[in-house]
Amino acid sequence: MSNTERPGPRDYNRAARNTSASQNLDAWPRPLRWAYWVLVVSAVLMLVSGLVGIFGSGGPQVEPQNAQVAEYLHSNRLFVAVTNTVGAVVLALFAAQLASGSKWARRIITIVIAIALFNNIAALALGIGGLGLLIIAVTLLIAVVLLFRPQSNRFIAHRSLHGRD
């Protein structure tokens, strides 16, 4: 009998048990499911952005007069495009492991998100990319918040404690 089902006054010396949370630790929590889908959307956006940056012309742009400036823009846009493409593939691969409560998958996803956020925000600040990079950054921030919600933390801790990592 749990502390809340016991008749009489509340015993403040015992920790209250949340029976619904302890029974559902084997189920995939809602924030982690949402994080998975936001990561899928982020990966698609990053992949499209990367492929457009690699193979596309980048839209109607005025060609700089200086050859050094043109090379600077081209090489940096190519760098951001390649890192977005590689990051999208890594996010897609490891997001699938979230359902099993993998601690390593969440760590790798967090590292990839940090690198992608830095690259996309820096590219946006330097004028290399467009507004799509801001959308990628916002979706990645939403994903990382959902990855570390208390329900997600409990689920991953429970799974790693029971040897499923």
Side-chain angles (χ1 to χ4, degrees):
M1 188 176 335
S2 74
N3 199 14
T4 58
E5 297 171 359
R6 188 176 55 80
R10 180 181 170 118
D11 186 1
Y12 290 104
N13 294 323
R14 294 184 188 195
R17 290 187 180 177
N18 190 353
T19 56
S20 62
S22 64
Q23 291 172 352
N24 291 333
L25 284 178
D26 288 327
W28 197 15
R30 183 173 290 165
L32 207 53
R33 263 186 277 142
W34 274 97
Y36 169 78
W37 287 110
V38 172
L39 284 170
V40 168
V41 168
S42 298
V44 168
L45 290 173
M46 288 172 67
L47 189 63
V48 168
S49 168
L51 292 178
V52 166
I54 292 171
F55 298 113
S57 64
Q61 294 178 348
V62 176
E63 194 63 33
Q65 303 298 331
N66 191 350
Q68 289 178 334
V69 174
E71 178 59 29
Y72 164 80
L73 290 174
H74 176 70
S75 63
N76 285 332
R77 189 179 74 199
L78 187 62
F79 177 76
V80 172
V82 169
T83 56
N84 274 346
T85 304
V86 171
V89 171
V90 172
L91 284 179
L93 287 174
F94 286 99
Q97 303 299 319
L98 291 176
S100 64
S102 174
K103 228 185 236 188
W104 279 103
R106 186 167 73 163
R107 290 174 183 164
I108 291 171
I109 288 169
T110 305
I111 291 168
V112 170
I113 286 175
I115 293 168
L117 280 173
F118 176 77
N119 286 337
N120 287 317
I121 292 172
L124 191 61
L126 294 174
I128 296 167
L131 198 55
L133 299 180
L134 181 63
I135 295 170
I136 291 171
V138 168
T139 58
L140 289 174
L141 284 172
I142 292 169
V144 81
V145 166
L146 291 169
L147 278 174
F148 288 95
R149 296 288 300 160
Q151 294 167 333
S152 302
N153 290 338
R154 279 193 300 269
F155 175 76
I156 290 175
H158 176 73
R159 289 293 179 118
S160 66
L161 185 66
H162 289 78
R164 296 181 189 141
D165 188 21

